[in-house]
Amino acid sequence: MLFAVVILAAVFGIQAPGHRAAAAQSAPAPTVQARTGILIDRVTGRVLWSKSPDRRLGPASLTKVMTAILILQRIHDLDSYCRVPRMVGKEELGNVVGLHVGERISVRQALRALIVKSANDAAVTLAYRAAGSEPAFAKLMNAKARALGLTNTHFVNARGKPVPGHYSSARDLAKLGRYVMRNAEFRDLCRRKTATIRWPGHAVPVASHNRLLTYAWVDGVKTGATAPTGMCLIGSGRPGLQPLIVVTLHEPSRGQEVIDA
């Protein structure tokens, strides 16, 4: 379990990257089935473990972490409303909360659907609310990625649909995770195991796919999964004194994702 690396570090007295070799001699390195992964200190950003961290792969619904933080930063009245765009009715969106074209939902409720349920109809609705279209919103996402120094990240859509040119890396997603966890509204969203998404005429109970949230010391962040990408995770927690961010990309199963993280 990657979160256990920090416990090993404490046991073996690791204080700086130069001491990692001593830990490696004292205990076996974690075996991780994910294609790429990384574990960092959430406060300092120091890398504690990594596996091909700069490899570009599809991030699936981890994309929605960037979607959410942009919405939180650009729309200050979370009780204002979005209108569900025609795009929601034109494309098979997969995982949805059940929004229909023309309905109204508050930004706050759409964000809960986005992060807790990982609802693609909420992602598209929020993108249209903030930028007028999903491609226009993707430009905002890419500008933010550049501003954060995410050099192996490029977004084509707001929901994580696996298409050419839509990719990120474990290192970039860990940086993004560290950044978004500084935002109190985002922290409140991503720690929720369940929620009831409400909009006029509807009250839909939803549950997070993030199995790590069953641990009391885990406080986020987001999972994702598509057939091409496998299981993807940004996790955040404090298993000891040190708050951590872990990323694993392209795991074969949710069970293995929990074992590796």
Side-chain angles (χ1 to χ4, degrees):
M1 191 172 190
L2 294 182
F3 274 130
V5 171
V6 74
I7 299 173
L8 290 174
V11 170
F12 294 110
I14 302 175
Q15 300 298 327
H19 293 82
R20 291 182 200 144
Q25 293 171 3
S26 303
T31 300
V32 173
Q33 291 192 24
R35 290 189 188 177
T36 78
I38 195 168
L39 178 73
I40 68 169
D41 183 311
R42 200 171 88 189
V43 175
T44 66
R46 181 165 67 95
V47 176
L48 302 173
W49 174 91
S50 66
K51 174 184 177 180
S52 304
D54 298 312
R55 183 177 179 182
R56 295 178 174 181
L57 291 171
S61 285
L62 302 188
T63 300
K64 296 182 175 98
V65 173
M66 178 64 89
T67 300
I69 195 64
L70 276 177
I71 294 298
L72 287 169
Q73 291 176 344
R74 297 181 70 86
I75 303 176
H76 300 297
D77 182 2
L78 299 186
D79 294 317
S80 63
Y81 277 84
C82 315
R83 189 168 295 279
V84 181
R86 292 181 181 178
M87 179 65 188
V88 167
K90 289 183 177 180
E91 184 178 339
E92 174 55 50
L93 295 176
N95 190 33
V96 296
V97 75
L99 300 174
H100 293 95
V101 175
E103 290 182 328
R104 295 167 72 245
I105 184 171
S106 73
V107 174
R108 188 184 308 277
Q109 293 293 320
L111 281 168
R112 288 179 183 174
L114 178 79
I115 296 299
V116 181
K117 171 65 174 171
S118 198
N120 292 323
D121 49 356
V124 174
T125 297
L126 287 166
Y128 272 73
R129 170 68 169 79
S133 72
E134 195 173 13
F137 189 77
K139 291 181 180 179
L140 299 178
M141 297 169 76
N142 289 321
K144 187 67 173 181
R146 290 192 296 271
L148 293 176
L150 309 186
T151 56
N152 288 298
T153 295
H154 186 264
F155 298 109
V156 178
N157 57 74
R159 46 199 150 117
K161 180 180 179 180
V163 294
H166 191 95
Y167 57 81
S168 190
S169 71
R171 190 190 307 276
D172 281 3
L173 291 167
K175 288 180 181 178
L176 178 60
R178 185 177 173 225
Y179 175 76
V180 299
M181 289 302 286
R182 297 172 186 161
N183 183 290
E185 290 281 1
F186 185 88
R187 290 197 305 272
D188 177 68
L189 285 168
C190 73
R191 67 176 175 79
R192 293 172 178 265
K193 299 177 187 177
T194 62
T196 298
I197 312 304
R198 303 180 187 278
W199 68 101
H202 302 271
V204 180
V206 298
S208 174
H209 297 291
N210 187 354
R211 294 184 184 180
L212 289 181
L213 290 174
T214 59
Y215 295 96
W217 47 267
V218 173
D219 56 5
V221 173
K222 183 82 180 69
T223 61
T226 67
T229 68
M231 309 299 161
C232 301
L233 167 75
I234 304 174
S236 173
R238 190 190 295 263
L241 297 177
Q242 193 173 8
L244 305 173
I245 295 284
V246 63
V247 177
T248 54
L249 297 181
H250 292 227
E251 289 275 19
S253 68
R254 286 277 181 231
Q256 188 62 43
E257 179 178 79
V258 173
I259 291 169
D260 285 349

